[in-house]
Amino acid sequence: MSTASSIGRVALVTGGSGGIGQAVVERLVEDGLSVAVHYSGNRAKADALVAKIATAGGSAIAVGGDVADEHAMLAAFDQVEAAFGGIDVVVNTAGIMVLAPITSLNLADLDRMHRTNIRGTFVVSQQAARRVRAGGAIVNFSTTVTRTSFPSYGAYAASKAAVEAMTLVLARELRGKDITVNAVAPGPTATALFLDGKDEQTIQALSKAAPLERLGTPDDIAETVAFLAGPARWVNGQVIFVNGGLA
């Protein structure tokens, strides 16, 4: 439900046209925020989400750009501020995942994950630290695999461990600014990013791994993001594991 404190607040969600990103966008709009839906390659999908929000009476725009390109992100933040007057919440859901054992991972894939997951998060966090208004929040994305250490996730987990490190440092660097900085670490979640390349047996095994015996949903993750983006003013410098008790 919308609250008085959320009216007039503005969020930028990177990867906002993706599975978890879209759920986050829709949840923040439900809370009364104006939202910038960021996309990298699929403008049509972002535009469709913006149109859906507008039809339902919400406020949203689409902004594009490579999250690892500091000039593109500078322009994206400028666009959001020009449209809505400022930024209160930045959520970094943009990321890529390539799975392979460390012994056989193509190093080009390692570099791609490093560019998007580490450099991209750093670039967006840097802009967010400069732009987010007092009372705001920065929410980055890690993964539960930093704890479970599943085989074939070595490079991906390493990139997300870096995200955790920069998140916790930034929270402390923003002392006195009244801006919280946290990371959400989902467990197995039913999105295309997770499901692609996995056979049914693997999916079923992972769906039973958590005590709640199901995969997470994008809405499960979005609920936690909304908490961190809004009422959770005393949660800061933390990694929140959202995984049904898996780890």
Side-chain angles (χ1 to χ4, degrees):
M1 298 293 292
S2 297
T3 63
S5 62
S6 68
I7 302 301
R9 299 185 83 217
V10 176
L12 166 62
V13 181
T14 71
S17 62
I20 290 176
Q22 180 172 336
V24 168
V25 166
E26 292 176 337
R27 183 64 175 78
L28 294 179
V29 168
E30 181 183 331
D31 279 353
L33 280 78
S34 298
V35 180
V37 181
H38 164 268
Y39 64 91
S40 178
N42 195 336
R43 177 168 185 169
K45 192 171 181 182
D47 285 343
L49 179 56
V50 168
K52 176 183 175 183
I53 291 167
T55 298
S59 177
I61 61 170
V63 297
D66 176 2
V67 290
D69 182 334
E70 65 270 33
H71 304 294
M73 288 302 97
L74 177 65
F77 274 76
D78 284 347
Q79 187 178 347
V80 178
E81 289 184 336
F84 296 124
I87 302 176
D88 302 284
V89 176
V90 174
V91 184
N92 264 311
T93 76
I96 61 174
M97 179 171 66
V98 180
L99 303 182
I102 290 172
T103 56
S104 58
L105 180 75
N106 186 314
L107 293 181
D109 290 330
L110 175 66
D111 291 343
R112 285 200 302 124
M113 280 190 284
H114 185 287
R115 177 173 172 78
T116 298
N117 298 354
I118 300 179
R119 180 184 169 92
T121 299
F122 195 99
V123 166
V124 173
S125 293
Q126 185 177 68
Q127 283 297 321
R130 296 169 178 171
R131 307 284 196 109
V132 168
R133 295 183 286 205
I138 301 169
V139 183
N140 290 324
F141 264 69
S142 180
T143 173
T144 290
V145 185
T146 58
R147 283 188 177 180
T148 58
S149 304
F150 291 149
S152 80
Y153 282 81
Y156 179 70
S159 73
K160 292 301 188 176
V163 169
E164 292 184 12
M166 72 177 82
T167 297
L168 304 191
V169 170
L170 183 57
R172 286 146 183 86
E173 290 181 345
L174 292 182
R175 172 182 291 273
K177 301 291 188 181
D178 191 23
I179 297 169
T180 62
V181 189
N182 295 287
V184 173
T189 305
T191 66
L193 180 70
F194 170 77
L195 296 173
D196 284 353
K198 293 182 176 68
D199 59 34
E200 187 61 29
Q201 182 178 0
T202 300
I203 293 170
Q204 286 302 315
L206 288 169
S207 70
K208 298 298 183 183
L212 294 180
E213 294 193 336
R214 66 173 176 85
L215 294 177
T217 69
D219 287 343
D220 291 325
I221 313 306
E223 189 69 29
T224 300
V225 173
F227 173 64
L228 294 173
R233 300 309 304 164
W234 199 233
V235 180
N236 189 30
Q238 303 299 316
V239 180
I240 311 298
F241 287 82
V242 188
N243 57 33
L246 178 63

